[in-house]
Amino acid sequence: MEEEKKCGKCFACNYYRAYYVKGSMKFEKTKTGFCRKQEKFTGNKDGCNDWQLLSTYRNRFTVKAMQKALAEMLLKLTEFKQIIEIQQEMEQYEKGEKEN
């Protein structure tokens, strides 16, 4: 009987999809998931001959999407900062007028 050669862990496999459960504040990743290649439930520390390294394209896409979202958030925060600064300047100006 030939022993099955494990090439890598499922959590780093392109075919593995982890399951999530709803927590009190966010979704929590479980230690089990589904292998799309073998079409069966599996643990994240398991492995098999069909193991394939998680797609680097998918990781790059995720990084690019995060960078874009962070840039947009930074722009919004800068706008809020400018609004707050303008309001503070107006309040100081109004206080100066009332004193005179």
Side-chain angles (χ1 to χ4, degrees):
M1 184 181 249
E2 187 175 316
E3 189 175 323
E4 188 175 297
K5 178 183 169 189
K6 293 187 178 186
C7 299
K9 305 288 183 188
C10 287
F11 70 87
C13 180
N14 197 38
Y15 300 116
Y16 179 75
R17 295 296 176 262
Y19 286 119
Y20 291 81
V21 293
K22 188 174 182 181
S24 60
M25 299 289 281
K26 62 180 182 173
F27 284 94
E28 306 285 340
K29 188 185 283 193
T30 65
K31 293 186 178 187
T32 58
F34 185 76
C35 177
R36 294 183 301 139
K37 181 75 172 182
Q38 294 185 358
E39 297 183 348
K40 68 175 187 176
F41 299 104
T42 181
N44 65 351
K45 301 289 185 185
D46 296 344
C48 68
N49 287 331
D50 294 324
W51 185 86
Q52 182 182 28
L53 181 63
L54 189 59
S55 173
T56 55
Y57 171 77
R58 194 169 107 193
N59 290 341
R60 272 193 313 237
F61 177 76
T62 303
V63 170
K64 285 183 181 181
M66 287 190 303
Q67 288 173 335
K68 182 179 178 183
L70 287 172
E72 291 173 1
M73 289 176 15
L74 181 61
L75 180 64
K76 296 269 186 206
L77 287 172
T78 304
E79 292 172 358
F80 287 133
K81 181 183 174 197
Q82 289 173 348
I83 291 169
I84 291 170
E85 288 174 347
I86 290 170
Q87 287 177 340
Q88 289 174 342
E89 289 174 5
M90 288 175 59
E91 288 173 2
Q92 288 177 351
Y93 179 76
E94 289 174 357
K95 285 181 183 178
E97 281 186 351
K98 288 181 181 178
E99 291 175 1
N100 292 329

